[in-house]
Amino acid sequence: MTVAIVAVVRGFGTHAGGVMTALVTRMRALDWRAQWHEAFAGAGQAWLFVFKGVLAIGLSAWLAMRFDLAKPYEVMVTCAIVLHPNSGMVVAKSFYRVLGTMVGCLAGVLLVAVFVQERTLLLLGMALWVGLCAGGASLFRNFKSYGFVLAGYTAAIVMLPALQQPQLLFQSAVMRFSEVMLGILVATFVCEAIAPQRLGPALRASIRSQFTGFVDFVRGSLAGMLERDALQQAHLRFVSKVVEVENLRSSVVVEDAGVRAISPRVQRLNQRFMAASTSYQSLHHLMNRLQDTDHAEARTALMALFNVQAEALAQVDAEADVLAQARALEQAQADVEAPLRACMTARRAALTEREARLDFDTGAELMLRFAAELKAYAEAYEALVKRGAQQRPMARSERVFARGNDWLEAASIVVRVAVMILITGWFWIATAWPGGAFAMLLSSVFCGLLASKPKPRAAVRAMFKMSVIGVLAGFVCLFGVLAHMSGFVLLLAGLLPFLIVGFYPFSNPKLEPMARIGLLTFFLMMQLDQVMVYDVPAFTNRALGLLLGALVSGVAFQLFANPGDNRFLHQRLLDKLRAEVTRACRAPLAGARERVESASRDLFMQLIGYGTAQDEFLGWGLSVHETGRAIVDLRRDMTTAPAPLYQRLVAVVDAIGDLYATPGRASHVFARRRVASARRAAAGHSQVLQHLHLLRLALLDRESVLAQYMASADKEEQHAA
Amino acid sequence: MLREIAVGGLFFPALLLLFILSLALHTILDGVAARYGWYRHLWYPALFRVSVFVCIFSVLGFLLLHGGWV
């Protein structure tokens, strides 16, 4: 707009003299205001959230005291836990929290009802329940984990007051459920009704950048060869994009019904993106493998195909609006198929050697497949972004995003947490310390919270620090400020500075979990009620109990991490990544392709999250993607093969599965031999031959991770095959 | 219709069931409205949705407490 003003001003020319000066001054003022807006946009959001937070806490406290709930502070604690700047996250969390609270209350009531006379058995039952819930929380990566966390510690909260007086058990359960529900309702209402911050735009931006990033990459790399490093980096980028879109989608889907309606299309888009990027990378891998001089003919022939595709892509204007780009891309890909096929037949006729023809065929098939998948991807993007597009019914398998879960880690968490709760409980029983109940409660709360984080060990120290800060703040607020106040309005006024300091960091994603722990402990320590009790020894007991609980859960997660520390975990994740290929070999064919694409990417992201030894992971990630896809395609095509070939192909699939399950020199040689024998039998079947050729090239690639298992006598194998 | 519903000796307020019912109705209406894009004509969809929910719940509540179902 400033450009327009400048143009207008210039156009007016000299006789706009004084007007011009005035306009220029106004322009500068506009710029200054725009800068001001930009600088404070982030802070404005933060202050809006502080306002919402204070409103939610005030409203929930007022309502809780009005309804005479037993523990009004629990309502405020729930508010503090649930509130989040993005309203979609609040709704998603709330839904699973309600479920978790219901299950937890039921479990608490059941446990006490069954074990009311046996305190050791009750302790055992409680430890087991909290442990199982913590294990469940670590298995799921979305909001379902909150449900498990809640179920775990709600049972503890319901049970502990009832231990001295079992007849209060049911009332305790009902009260707890009411408090949590009230907190959730208030928080959800405040976040949804007052200037809700949506994640929808973030999802749309993510999808857009996925599309533009991929198209730009393809455009840039069709011209020539890509080094292995560049390929790996690109792979990393694409995988993180895929997982980012999927994660955003799963949190946005609860936000509003508009996004829910398009959620299947987003999943389909993601699937197609994965397919297209895998094909493209396989193509470049093939080109890299054909680098040496034996295969120069095939390589130059394939480069001609690349040029055809590059010309088609050149028609897509990079500067245009993204939707227009998608439409143009779809059209270009629809048109490019005929020229590609024509170029294919022309070049193939020029090649003389059998080997060269085979290389060329494989590459050409990959190219055609990539062209088709790129078209499908553009089509899916267009269908997503265009409003009111017809909803084609989608196959279930098109929408799957499988995740890789680690049962062993979950089981170890179950054992650790249960043992820690048992130790705390034994300590409480043995010492009859009044703060012991609180310690058990807090240890179950923190264990649950830590279990749901992807990297618990890193969070332990920060959590402990924040709980100390929360305790100190609670002390200052309770005895320094609130002791002099009476009445609800003054209560809120006294809390206000602490709430502002507590809620402000929520807008920063890094600081948010810490601020949440701080607020949580703050409210837990103060125990605000209609009739306040200011008792310093009781407060100190509670504080010590809280810190002991935090310490115990920290020990459970930091000291008793998996045996052999992170190296063991890395190895396990690598094994699971490789197991995706084995699963592609052995599992039923329906949906196998989508499974192998999505699960391997999810595992890959987990591996990258650990940070170390990236090259090895990148190498295995690429290898798994490529081979997994090739195996699934081979299995699909071999159903039409005649009997003797079919037997050999089954043998090939088994051998590849064994190779990835237990990589070693023997299994590598075995796999190569099987592939060679199948190739000999597959003389007439071009599709099968191409897949076998791809597999063989992948096995013989000296730069891939499988190279370490190659025996030195590979030269004679190459000639014999 | 009763004000309280007894389930195995426990009393649940009938309003609670109505609340859940109106939540369900609201979710359905919300889905339909989002599918056909009615929210685009509104200035502040969030407040509108909350108000619609309050309206549904109030209507059902009045029908229960003062209506002809008794």
Side-chain angles (χ1 to χ4, degrees), chain B residues 34-57:
Chain B
R35 173 74 104 74
Y36 294 108
W38 295 340
Y39 287 139
R40 279 203 291 280
H41 306 293
L42 293 171
W43 171 64
Y44 208 109
L47 267 182
F48 185 77
R49 287 166 66 203
V50 174
S51 317
V52 164
F53 174 74
V54 171
C55 288
I56 295 176
F57 185 45

Side-chain angles (χ1 to χ4, degrees), chain A residues 54-211:
Chain A
V54 170
L55 181 67
I57 296 284
L59 197 62
S60 60
W62 186 77
L63 281 173
M65 295 190 195
R66 199 89 179 86
F67 291 150
D68 268 328
L69 291 179
K71 298 189 196 172
Y73 65 91
E74 289 286 355
V75 186
M76 298 157 80
V77 167
T78 310
C79 257
I81 296 180
V82 172
L83 279 170
H84 194 279
N86 290 110
S87 52
M89 308 278 266
V90 175
V91 175
K93 273 191 186 180
S94 310
F95 177 67
Y96 287 108
R97 276 175 189 277
V98 170
L99 282 181
T101 310
M102 263 199 290
V103 171
C105 285
L106 270 173
V109 169
L110 273 173
L111 271 173
V112 175
V114 170
F115 291 130
V116 68
Q117 306 289 356
E118 298 286 328
R119 71 175 174 190
T120 33
L121 281 180
L122 178 64
L123 183 63
L124 213 67
M126 185 159 110
L128 205 62
W129 174 256
V130 178
L132 280 172
C133 288
S138 74
L139 271 182
F140 294 94
R141 245 169 298 288
N142 288 342
F143 300 109
K144 298 189 182 90
S145 67
Y146 288 116
F148 280 96
V149 172
L150 257 287
Y153 71 72
T154 306
I157 291 180
V158 162
M159 276 196 280
L160 287 169
L163 286 178
Q164 320 289 38
Q165 293 162 298
Q167 69 272 20
L168 291 181
L169 173 70
F170 186 73
Q171 191 194 0
S172 166
V174 168
M175 276 294 155
R176 171 70 193 168
F177 188 68
S178 317
E179 283 146 14
V180 170
M181 281 299 303
L182 183 62
I184 286 177
L185 272 174
V186 171
T188 313
F189 169 72
V190 168
C191 280
E192 279 280 317
I194 302 175
Q197 309 295 312
R198 303 287 190 196
L199 271 180
L203 177 65
R204 271 181 266 277
S206 190
I207 292 176
R208 208 170 22 240
S209 71
Q210 185 194 64
F211 182 81

Side-chain angles (χ1 to χ4, degrees), chain A residues 569-582:
Chain A
L569 251 187
H570 290 173
Q571 203 49 50
R572 264 196 68 76
L573 275 177
L574 259 182
D575 290 343
K576 284 169 68 61
L577 187 63
R578 280 200 296 265
E580 284 303 323
V581 175
T582 322

Side-chain angles (χ1 to χ4, degrees), chain A residues 420-439:
Chain A
M420 279 297 148
I421 302 275
L422 268 176
I423 292 179
T424 324
W426 168 83
F427 178 73
W428 177 33
I429 291 177
T431 59
W433 175 42
F438 209 61

Side-chain angles (χ1 to χ4, degrees), chain A residues 645-684:
Chain A
L645 177 59
Y646 189 79
Q647 300 291 347
R648 297 200 184 190
L649 289 176
V650 166
V652 164
V653 171
D654 275 341
I656 298 277
D658 285 338
L659 171 63
Y660 275 83
T662 47
R665 207 154 272 190
S667 49
H668 192 265
V669 167
F670 193 56
R672 278 221 315 270
R673 290 223 179 100
R674 288 272 179 95
V675 170
S677 92
R679 281 186 71 207
R680 279 193 288 272

